[in-house]
Amino acid sequence: MVDVKQILSQMTTEEKIGQLMQHNANMFIDSSAAVTGDNSNKLGLSQKVINTVGSVLNFCSSVEMRTIQDMHLKNDRNKIPMLFMMDVVHGFRTIFPIPLALGCSFDPNLAARCSEMAADEATAGGVQVTFTPMVDYVRDARWGRVMETCGEEPLLNGMMGAAQIRAFRGKSLSDKTSMATCVKHFAAYGGAEAGRDYNTVELSEHILREYYLPAYKACIDAGADMIMPAFNTLNGIPATVNFWLMKKVLKEEWGFSGIVISDFNAIGDLERHGITNDEKTAARLAFENGCDIEMVSNTYTHCLKELIEKGVFTEEQLDDAVLKVLNLKNNLGMFEDPYHGADIQENSERFLTPEHRATARKAAEECAVLLKNDGILPLSPQVEKIALIGPFADNHEIIGFWSCNGKNEESVTVSEGIHAAAPNTEITVTRGCGNLYDDCDRSGFDAAVKAAAAADVVILCLGEPQNYSGEGNSRADITLTGLQDELAAAVANANKNIVALTFSGRPLALTELEKNVRAILHMWFPGTEGGSAAANLLFGYANPCGKLSMTFPRAVGQCPIYYNHTNTGKPKFFPDDKHQPYASNYIDCPNSPLFPFGHGLSYSNFKYENLELSDDVLYNNSKIEVSVTVKNCSDTVGKETVMLYMRDLFASNSRPVQQLIAFEKAEFAADETKTFKFNITAPMLGFWNNENKFVTEDGVFQISTGCADRLILTENLTFISNAE
Ligand code: BGC
């Protein structure tokens, strides 16, 4: 460790401001030059930039990172190493399932294992800080960035984010495989109107506090080193300069003392938000609202010095921000090893190890969700003829958006996985059609129908392209793209034994497909080992155990659709497929989703019994133990996530019809019975009322197990706050 205060005392104001600047690597050097080591014609102006910034994003490799660091340190009189940051979202070179898929595992330990391996590879690749976890709460599948979050449940989102933070950070940040983390995007980026990325967010404070804020808080409590304000306006004011959000909540209420880093050009974007077209005002607003590092735009370099000279800010305020950056560098051990263990070669031996691949496969198996199965699955490996049809039948592009340094060609395709799992089966592979939204070429249909007619089983591999989700990739229609539904119908005319394997970065409206197939196994974007995982699940070498962490609507018009909605004053009593006049429902679509939150089938058969409460009255500071017995009534080993829900029947604020308050996942041997115990305390039953106070109100609460809209067992308890 070095004495950073001593270093700070020697720095000029410009040098300090440099520590608060982050630039894209391509500002400095072209990557081919980094690879060849020939920087001769790449210096000049860029060397000046290198000397004046504190951190870098979007570089290519450890070789490039080392080159830039060397160029910087050679000239920096203070010898302060730069930090290299990247979005290590679901793996670095070995790619794990997308975060939304990980949410469906309901297993924070699995998320942690994936993050540990991602950190091992990313540090070898020259990254010291990751812009993860992203814990934006989401309810609208049109938004492309739902793939980066764990879904529509605040408790789950927070637990997964916290687990990832602990795993990335390891035992000590100075360990060569540990990384610093940045929770994002604060706040409510996922509340974008109409699911269109970067769009306006207007939310009441109590809804914000109840659903949107808890996961960020859980991540801060877990030790997040940095936080990134969101791109959107929140109730009229861009998050980056939103006083209520950044100062009142983040600093005053939560006491966050880590680094705030703006999102990509977010301070520059203030002009387009219509807040100011003057750089000085932009810099002032961002700095006074606590933004320490400016990403990509240059308002701090251009204006902060003048703002200090004019007395708008003091040198001490600047020092506070700079000290945070220096401390992070110090804690990461950058002054001792400015490469933080980064490999000297581009292709580190730490990438894609058999252990990492095995974990990626296991994770993909645990994240897949069996949405429908009439008994056709699992398939026998002895099946004689399989027709493998669809744009994902033999497609490497299954690793998903934000795949860092992952390479599509290193992924296992479904075809490769199935050939390996069923070596004696005759397999015909044909694409059928493409999957771009405007694909209209039916020329592959005939071959697909012919293959289907000749096969015992059809495996139909459909979905949206991987760049239809992720940043900037919202969709107004979330059905299968192009002619895929039509392909499914044509194939179903030739052979009814269809298993659909679906791929996407968001919940899709699979209503048409569902009518034509006997099973749907949703793979999300499963990562590098996706094809092996799919094959293992199809043939029963692995047992599906994922449960949806985000609702699958029937139609895009139902969005936003989520399990923890309120009842309304005119709920529907008619069967859901019939329209009820003067009730909250649609004429042309049921209210229910196609597949609800918590849904996910298994090859085992779990039976829930004996939901028991240790008492039926709960007081402040007391607790009630809930137990439920779950039996695996099958001879197949399997995992089940047992979920505990509650409903506050009457309160000053209309409460959701269901709310998840606890869950536990466990493996069951054949015929094994397990009893699960959960404690219920008063805060678990509370909510943010209209005065924005967290309260638990007296009254009756329903406690249930099952999945959100298919509750299996329910018991009541009464909460009394002031016991005589
Ligand atoms: C995204 C962030 C990301 C940053 C740096 C932005 O466009 O919104 O999530 O961390 O780029 O890559």
Side-chain angles (χ1 to χ4, degrees), residues 15 33 80 106 253 277 359 369 398 438 440 466 503 663 677:
E15 285 170 342
I80 303 172
F106 278 82
E253 257 181 62
N277 64 355
T359 301
V369 185
I398 56 170
D438 54 356
C440 54
Q466 56 183 355
F503 295 81
F663 62 87
K677 291 187 186 336

Side-chain angles (χ1 to χ4, degrees), residues 527-569:
T528 307
E529 285 289 323
S532 335
N536 281 351
L537 290 162
L538 289 171
F539 293 107
Y541 298 126
N543 188 353
C545 61
K547 304 259 188 198
L548 290 181
S549 60
M550 192 170 179
T551 302
F552 272 50
R554 293 172 190 276
V556 71
Q558 291 178 306
C559 293
I561 182 170
Y562 46 94
Y563 87 93
N564 42 8
H565 59 86
T566 53
N567 200 33
T568 80

Side-chain angles (χ1 to χ4, degrees), residues 57-58 87 131 145 184-185 228 231 263-264 295 402 471:
L57 85 158
N58 291 345
D87 299 272
F131 298 120
R145 299 195 79 168
K184 66 189 189 187
H185 307 86
M228 186 187 289
F231 279 132
D263 203 346
F264 201 99
M295 190 193 287
W402 289 118
E471 187 172 352

